[in-house]
Amino acid sequence: WGGPSHLDTFDPKPEAGYDYCGPFNKPIKTNVPGIEINELLPNLANQADKYSIIRSMTHGITGHETAAYIMQTGHSADEKLVYPSIGAVVSLLKGYEHGYKGDIPPYVILTTAQGRFSEVGFLGSRYKPLITGGDPSKKVFAVEGFLLEGVSENRQIARKEILMKLDTLGKFMPEEENFQAFDISRQKAYDIILGQTAKIFDLTTEKDDIRDRYGRSKFGQCCLVARRLIESGVLYVTINYEGWDTHNQHFETMRRKLPEMDNAVSALLQDLSDRGLIDTTIIWLTGEFGRTPKISWEPPWNGGRGHYGKCFSVMVAGGGFKGGQVVGTSDEKGENLKERPVYPHDLLGSIYELLGIDPEGTIPDPQGKQVRILPPIEKGKGKGILREIMQRKEGKDG
């Protein structure tokens, strides 16, 4: 959330000089020969055989809203319709109408919505994500703002009973269809808050060494909650990881954020692998764009990086993506693409295919007209599916 620098994560350029690499001039080797990443990512360096790096991601957009939109929908902002994000599409095509039985909605966001765009687009409220709120690194993790620090479970139950007593209108009109739907929705919400489902969000049941491995940061514990959600059958989880919009004092922030990211993502990869879930779970780590390769040393930036959509990096792993691979290259300063441009629709199409969703398929718009999930590939705009880093092609029921 905010756009991580490709030069300071997965595409280091030590030879570009201090005005480009800053103090990060000693990239480290990974466990895959020929692949180097930032020196503050040692745990991820030891797991490079589990993920692939796309070093030639591009869309040319430098505005947060439009970049976030295209990265999660594949569509440009100048089209007539507001398209749904990949999470909402998965909720539509793999959710309740297609056999999903979970008590938790199939699409979950930890823990805050970006607010940059509508995740559900034209699909409507049925496919909205559950946005949990709260902070799983704290003792009490709020779900939808109901689980509050200092409010016990018994007090929550007492509040529910008072609410039911006050709901006299619903009692007088029990056959009213809208009231019935509301009651069902409310009961599902309480099941998440107070029922067995709530235990998925209770990290006190995890061993301390596992929680420590992920890191006790908000992001680290969100990654652990995400693993638990996937383990329970939830179909799509987004973690909006804040703090990467580093216009000033970039390197001070990186010295905090990179170790945090390194612990959490490496622990997630290892944990999924140890539990036999890595082959059925896709992980992708991306910003809405990258950051300017040339550093702004002058005040007020004091070593900052701006927005950059011409060239940036994305990490993908699991679910049919090969490990230990690199797709595309940037030039010697990381300013321009050198080989194999990858556009958002290329990446999203690859993820859809591995999820068993036809990337050339359609979904109904508000008027019932069938529209493409992804836009058609324009001439000279990408190559479509990333076959070079995919181990297999799933069938439509995959």
Side-chain angles (χ1 to χ4, degrees):
W1 182 348
S5 165
H6 50 300
L7 269 67
D8 301 322
T9 52
F10 297 110
D11 193 11
K13 305 286 184 182
E15 289 82 15
Y18 192 70
D19 283 342
Y20 289 84
C21 70
F24 295 144
N25 59 0
K26 295 182 177 68
I28 54 175
K29 295 180 179 180
T30 67
N31 66 350
V32 176
I35 299 179
E36 295 184 340
I37 60 177
N38 184 278
E39 61 203 69
L40 296 183
L41 303 175
N43 295 314
L44 283 171
N46 289 330
Q47 298 211 46
D49 58 323
K50 292 185 175 68
Y51 58 82
S52 285
I53 300 168
I54 301 168
R55 287 178 169 167
S56 54
M57 222 36 231
T58 185
H59 51 53
I61 298 167
T62 56
H64 286 294
E65 292 79 8
T66 47
Y69 176 75
I70 196 171
M71 282 301 295
Q72 296 192 55
T73 68
H75 289 267
S76 65
D78 58 3
E79 297 182 50
K80 292 181 180 179
L81 292 171
V82 178
Y83 281 81
S85 70
I86 182 171
V89 172
V90 169
S91 184
L92 168 69
L93 298 180
K94 294 286 184 179
Y96 292 113
E97 293 95 336
H98 299 272
Y100 178 72
K101 303 293 185 183
D103 293 323
I104 298 175
Y107 177 23
V108 175
I109 288 179
L110 301 170
T111 62
T112 307
Q114 261 193 325
R116 303 292 194 188
F117 70 104
S118 168
E119 292 90 353
V120 75
F122 60 67
L123 286 183
S125 60
R126 180 172 178 79
Y127 305 101
K128 282 185 176 180
L130 169 68
I131 303 169
T132 65
D135 182 348
S137 68
K138 296 182 178 179
K139 188 173 181 180
V140 178
F141 178 22
V143 177
E144 284 288 293
F146 286 108
L147 292 183
L148 306 175
E149 279 195 84
V151 180
S152 67
E153 184 174 325
N154 288 337
R155 190 174 176 189
Q156 289 283 1
I157 293 170
R159 286 179 171 185
K160 176 186 176 184
E161 291 173 351
I162 292 171
L163 180 63
M164 296 302 184
K165 290 178 181 178
L166 291 172
D167 185 16
T168 54
L169 183 60
K171 292 175 184 176
F172 281 118
M173 304 177 69
E175 304 303 319
E176 170 60 38
E177 185 176 323
N178 288 333
F179 287 167
Q180 289 178 355
F182 177 80
D183 288 341
I184 292 170
S185 179
R186 180 168 60 185
Q187 186 55 50
K188 285 182 177 179
Y190 273 114
D191 287 344
I192 294 174
I193 298 163
L194 298 171
Q196 287 294 111
T197 305
K199 293 182 179 179
I200 294 172
F201 298 96
D202 181 9
L203 295 185
T204 61
T205 61
E206 289 283 350
K207 294 180 180 178
D208 282 342
D209 64 329
I210 292 177
R211 296 192 68 180
D212 291 342
R213 195 187 320 154
Y214 277 86
R216 296 288 180 147
S217 66
K218 180 179 179 180
F219 176 64
Q221 299 301 289
C222 277
C223 284
L224 180 52
V225 173
R227 188 266 287 166
R228 291 164 67 95
L229 288 168
I230 292 297
E231 212 169 19
S232 75
V234 171
L235 299 177
Y236 197 95
V237 182
T238 295
I239 304 172
N240 283 324
Y241 185 16
E242 302 170 69
W244 297 88
D245 199 19
T246 50
H247 287 280
N248 52 32
Q249 296 183 317
H250 167 86
F251 293 99
E252 290 87 340
T253 302
M254 288 301 96
R255 291 194 182 281
R256 296 192 305 272
K257 301 297 288 186
L258 291 174
E260 184 178 271
M261 183 183 84
D262 184 51
N263 288 332
V265 179
S266 64
L268 179 62
L269 290 169
Q270 188 62 57
D271 210 358
L272 289 171
S273 182
D274 292 345
R275 293 167 184 268
L277 294 170
I278 191 80
D279 291 334
T280 55
T281 307
I282 294 169
I283 305 98
W284 64 305
L285 182 66
T286 181
E288 59 263 46
F289 40 52
R291 305 206 76 78
T292 49
K294 191 168 185 180
I295 302 160
S296 299
W297 293 112
E298 68 279 5
W301 314 119
N302 300 315
R305 295 191 188 271
H307 302 173
Y308 204 71
K310 287 177 67 176
C311 180
F312 57 104
S313 295
V314 168
M315 190 198 89
V316 292
F321 282 114
K322 295 178 183 178
Q325 308 291 313
V326 173
V327 175
T329 57
S330 59
D331 64 18
E332 63 277 2
K333 293 181 178 179
E335 294 177 316
N336 297 290
L337 301 175
K338 190 174 180 181
E339 294 177 349
R340 181 57 166 108
V342 176
Y343 293 85
H345 57 71
D346 300 329
L347 174 61
L348 292 175
S350 304
I351 294 173
Y352 279 131
E353 181 151 317
L354 290 173
L355 290 171
I357 294 172
D358 183 0
E360 296 183 0
T362 61
I363 53 178
D365 73 3
Q367 284 72 47
K369 179 183 176 182
Q370 292 293 315
V371 296
R372 289 180 60 111
I373 295 172
L374 291 172
I377 298 170
E378 299 175 32
K379 189 175 182 180
K381 290 274 188 178
K383 298 180 181 179
I385 306 302
L386 299 166
R387 303 283 179 205
E388 61 265 57
I389 55 169
M390 291 170 64
Q391 293 173 317
R392 63 184 184 272
K393 180 180 179 181
E394 293 282 7
K396 290 190 177 181
D397 296 325

